[in-house]
Amino acid sequence: MATCLVVANSLFRPPKPILPHKHLPLQPISSHSLPKSPLNSTFLKPHFSHSDSCRFRFIAPASLGETDASSDEPLPLVGEDSAAFDLGTQNIVSWVYFTIILGVVLFVLDVIWIDNSTGFGKAFIDAVSTLSDSHEIVMLALILIFATVHSGLASFRDMGEKHLGKRAYRVLFAGVSLPLAVSTVVYFINHRYDGVQLWQLQNGPGVHQLVAAVDQPKVHLWETGIMRITRHPQMVGQVIWCLAHTIWIGNSVAVAASVGLIGHHLFGVWNGDRRLAIRHGEAFEVVKKRTSIIPFAAILDGRQKLPKDYYKEFIRLPYLAITAMTLGAYFLHPVMQAASFRLHW
């Protein structure tokens, strides 16, 4: 059987030295002979023959990241496989550590922020509330503070990890962002029915069923699963959440909260793509061409080719866990409302 050659695209790795066949001498291929720009290079696909001599057929259907309209097969992945989870590779000790650390973080959060007798959460809300008597203004201010801190720390992640280390910076990021997020959510829950009533649709037939969709979905370059539908699922989920709650509540506080949250997430779309481009370079440009921000847009215009068994990418433990948590959050709305009311924020 003749030996066969696979030439890897320069985006992923430099070519390996090639040993020529004794009956069919081959010239070594250096990295200089490959295109410098992955976006202008082509996939080189070997065609294997069962003849005694090894023959090579290189197919260049499209530039990297572009779609071959004549083929129904999806292009090879450049990004990571989303939500891939192998139970056999999990370390029990790591999960024990994670559970302990999570418990400690939640305990500290309760003591230094949530508990009104020991924490600073109420003092923070009171300080922001001095800006205006308008709940809409305070709501927007809380979202602006959270968005500035959260997106700011995310933007400086590479520099922060270089100086503090990845684990330490993650603790800093969560330790600052989480209390501000809790304050914003609690304030919205406690004041969601304040402000000027703009419309009242709660008693309309089918309104509850229409607006009951609550979707909430490190720096990975994901390319499968939900990313085939939209490259920014968290933004899409937040827009769905805002539309649902604004339609249901129908007052000025809900509108103010939705404007602030959607604005923050739209900024996050730009900032997230910017950070991915800096970190992953041309690989991100490939994924960007194959995906879309607007749900299903890349699929409809042919840039995204779904594999025949695409549904299997969603039948994975992380997706199932998110679905269960989303449903749990929906049914636990009365508990969250009662807990928020007791804080008197």
Side-chain angles (χ1 to χ4, degrees), residues 146 150 181 184-185 188 212-217 226-227 230 232-245 257-258 261-262 264-265 317-330 333 336:
F146 168 77
H150 185 78
T184 305
V185 171
F188 172 76
V214 180
D215 185 18
Q216 281 286 358
I226 192 66
M227 297 300 169
T230 171
H232 292 279
Q234 184 171 332
M235 180 274 294
V236 174
Q238 186 64 71
V239 170
I240 294 173
W241 186 95
C242 287
L243 291 177
H245 285 75
S258 295
L261 289 171
I262 292 176
H264 169 49
H265 280 76
L317 184 58
Y319 282 133
L320 297 177
I322 290 175
T323 301
M325 288 189 292
T326 301
L327 292 173
Y330 173 70
H333 268 49
M336 292 188 290

Side-chain angles (χ1 to χ4, degrees), residues 21 38 42 61 101 106 128 130 136 148 197 202 287 290 310:
H21 192 278
T42 56
I101 293 173
L106 293 178
V128 177
T130 60
E136 295 86 347
T148 302
Q197 194 69 36
Q202 295 182 6
V287 174
R290 297 178 184 173
Y310 69 91

Side-chain angles (χ1 to χ4, degrees), residues 155-190:
S155 298
F156 290 103
R157 177 173 179 167
D158 289 341
M159 183 178 67
E161 288 181 348
K162 184 183 299 184
H163 290 85
L164 301 178
K166 292 184 177 181
R167 290 185 176 87
Y169 194 78
R170 183 176 300 179
V171 171
L172 173 64
F173 181 84
V176 176
S177 298
L178 192 56
L180 296 177
V182 169
S183 295
T184 305
V185 171
V186 169
Y187 187 88
F188 172 76
I189 293 176
N190 285 345

Side-chain angles (χ1 to χ4, degrees), residues 66-235:
E66 296 179 356
T67 303
D68 179 13
S70 63
S71 174
D72 292 331
E73 295 297 325
L75 292 172
L77 293 179
V78 173
E80 299 177 62
D81 190 13
S82 175
F85 184 85
D86 185 0
L87 187 60
T89 62
Q90 299 302 305
N91 189 327
I92 300 299
V93 175
S94 296
W95 280 99
V96 171
Y97 285 159
F98 171 78
T99 303
I100 294 174
I101 293 173
L102 179 61
V104 171
V105 168
L106 293 178
F107 174 78
V108 172
L109 177 65
D110 179 64
V111 173
I112 69 172
W113 198 260
I114 297 177
D115 192 327
N116 285 334
S117 62
T118 59
F120 296 94
K122 189 176 187 307
F124 170 71
I125 294 293
D126 291 341
V128 177
S129 297
T130 60
L131 296 175
S132 173
D133 293 331
S134 168
H135 295 303
E136 295 86 347
I137 298 298
V138 175
M139 185 77 255
L140 285 170
L142 289 172
I143 294 175
L144 179 61
I145 293 171
F146 168 77
T148 302
V149 173
H150 185 78
S151 296
L153 288 175
S155 298
F156 290 103
R157 177 173 179 167
D158 289 341
M159 183 178 67
E161 288 181 348
K162 184 183 299 184
H163 290 85
L164 301 178
K166 292 184 177 181
R167 290 185 176 87
Y169 194 78
R170 183 176 300 179
V171 171
L172 173 64
F173 181 84
V176 176
S177 298
L178 192 56
L180 296 177
V182 169
S183 295
T184 305
V185 171
V186 169
Y187 187 88
F188 172 76
I189 293 176
N190 285 345
H191 298 278
R192 67 192 186 280
Y193 287 117
D194 296 337
V196 179
Q197 194 69 36
L198 303 176
W199 58 81
Q200 179 61 262
L201 301 176
Q202 295 182 6
N203 296 324
V207 173
H208 180 269
Q209 290 75 11
L210 175 65
V211 303
V214 180
D215 185 18
Q216 281 286 358
K218 218 177 160 195
V219 174
H220 287 288
L221 185 61
W222 304 122
E223 193 181 356
T224 63
I226 192 66
M227 297 300 169
R228 297 188 187 276
I229 298 175
T230 171
R231 193 168 66 251
H232 292 279
Q234 184 171 332
M235 180 274 294

